[in-house]
Amino acid sequence: MKSNITSEKVKQIVLDCGGDLAGIASTKTLNAFPPDPRWPQTPERMTPDAKSVIVIGLRVPVAGFRAREPEPYQMMNMMNNRRLDKIARKVSEVLEKQGYFGLVMNNNSTDWRLKSGTYGHLSLRHLAVEAGMGTLGLGVNFMCVEYGPRVNLAVVITDARLEPGTPLTEQLCVGEGCSRCLYACPTDSVLHFHIDKRGCSTKAQVTGFYGAADIFDKFLHADDDGRKEILKSNTLMKYWQGLTRVWGCFGTCPRCTAVCPVGDDYHAHLADDQKVIPETTPERVAKGKEYQSARRAGDEVPGLSDWNIRWVGPDGYNGKAAKEQRKKFRAQKEAE
Ligand code: SF4
Ligand code: SF4
């Protein structure tokens, strides 16, 4: 028998299961506003019975961002994602006990039919925005007031009819005048509220599908000596770690998230450490300025089009949400 379930109860279930943030989006809205209508990442494609999508956020501990080598961050991020999977599964179990289904979709699902396998079945970042949990940043990272972009997401699709959250209209990303993520990006993949996915994947998915295909391709075309080199290489070792622990398959580059000044965790633990961005170059600064001028001039920017602006924050940046959150955070700290 179905219990009488509400959004508030479901959000509490998420927190009780170990999530840091919870939000609800309606499948109706999600089906009507797929991030890219040419490749619809919609819940109705998963199951026609879906009524709501529960979005779960788990913050990434700050320690990894303070490491001098990327590996400790990569390991922490991988563990965080595994934990998130377990939390989402627990939420699904609790829902089932209450008479509803809960279909878990994690952040490394890929639908081969959508844009040559570069899209997941659902875009979790867009779902989180629709649930009112945050907005997208300059490089389309999802960010929230609490942890900036240092948060991983999972979703549970359910047949429970739940009151959805209201998307924020304020842009949480400081925007072109900040551009710190753009300065820090080793592959120059942060675009104007857009991302060069292929470029980013060379650093952020080192043992992802394209990395794996690349090593096989090189092995097939190498001579005997070349093959021996590949068999002894660090790249193969990384690929092995990817196979055994999903290490390196996604989220392996911390730079755009480490330097983002949005979030209480940044101010508490990262501001001093990440103040200087060693990767900054005059070219990157010029690119940020170019984006700023384009926005001010009202130029056509695809990432800010009428369709895409709903996920960036149609009212633009005014800093109000960040100020409110800082106040709340300080009050919490004083009360502890
Ligand atoms: S994850 Fe790394 S490579 Fe990808 S956009 Fe961010 S900084 Fe650039
Ligand atoms: S670093 Fe600055 S520009 Fe980049 S996402 Fe964060 S707030 Fe936005």
Side-chain angles (χ1 to χ4, degrees), residues 212-284:
D214 186 53
I215 195 168
F216 278 124
D217 186 59
K218 287 199 172 107
F219 190 82
L220 279 175
H221 293 97
D223 57 18
D224 276 359
D225 286 343
R227 287 183 180 189
K228 280 180 194 150
E229 276 309 305
I230 290 171
L231 289 175
K232 286 188 292 184
S233 68
N234 188 24
T235 314
L236 185 64
M237 200 274 283
K238 284 182 174 165
Y239 176 56
W240 173 78
Q241 284 181 314
L243 277 179
T244 53
R245 306 210 68 196
V246 206
W247 175 93
C249 294
F250 48 90
T252 45
C253 170
R255 291 307 291 147
C256 54
T257 40
V259 300
C260 180
V262 177
D264 298 325
D265 56 343
Y266 182 85
H267 296 284
H269 301 283
L270 296 169
D272 289 342
D273 190 60
Q274 297 293 332
K275 190 173 174 187
V276 176
I277 302 173
E279 300 95 333
T280 307
T281 62
E283 292 76 20
R284 288 178 181 159

Side-chain angles (χ1 to χ4, degrees), residues 141 181 184-187 189-190 195 199-200 203-204 253-256:
N141 276 333
C181 49
C185 178
T187 59
S189 298
V190 174
I195 187 167
C200 169
K203 284 282 176 192
C253 170
R255 291 307 291 147
C256 54

Side-chain angles (χ1 to χ4, degrees), residues 137-138 143 173-175 178-181 256 259-262:
L138 193 66
M143 61 172 60
C173 166
V174 182
C178 166
S179 288
R180 285 172 56 83
C181 49
C256 54
V259 300
C260 180
V262 177

Side-chain angles (χ1 to χ4, degrees), residues 27-93:
T27 49
K28 232 182 182 177
T29 311
L30 301 173
N31 292 331
F33 293 99
D36 183 343
R38 292 169 303 167
W39 314 99
Q41 296 165 289
T42 50
E44 68 187 355
R45 290 179 63 248
M46 305 292 101
T47 161
D49 304 320
K51 298 287 180 296
S52 312
V53 174
I54 303 159
V55 185
I56 306 168
L58 186 66
R59 72 181 184 86
V60 184
V62 287
F65 299 106
R66 299 192 57 139
R68 289 291 161 259
E69 297 292 326
E71 280 79 7
Y73 161 76
Q74 294 166 352
M75 286 294 172
M76 281 198 87
N77 200 25
M78 179 267 297
M79 286 184 262
N80 215 55
N81 278 315
R82 296 286 71 85
R83 185 166 161 223
L84 188 51
D85 288 351
K86 287 181 186 151
I87 293 168
R89 190 182 183 283
K90 262 200 231 167
V91 171
S92 164
E93 278 172 19

Side-chain angles (χ1 to χ4, degrees), residues 11 21 55 57 65 90 105 134 153 156 232 239 252 323-324 328:
K11 286 191 211 167
L21 299 171
V55 185
F65 299 106
K90 262 200 231 167
M105 301 295 294
L153 301 168
V156 179
K232 286 188 292 184
Y239 176 56
T252 45
K323 224 183 256 168
E324 277 307 305
K328 204 167 123 191

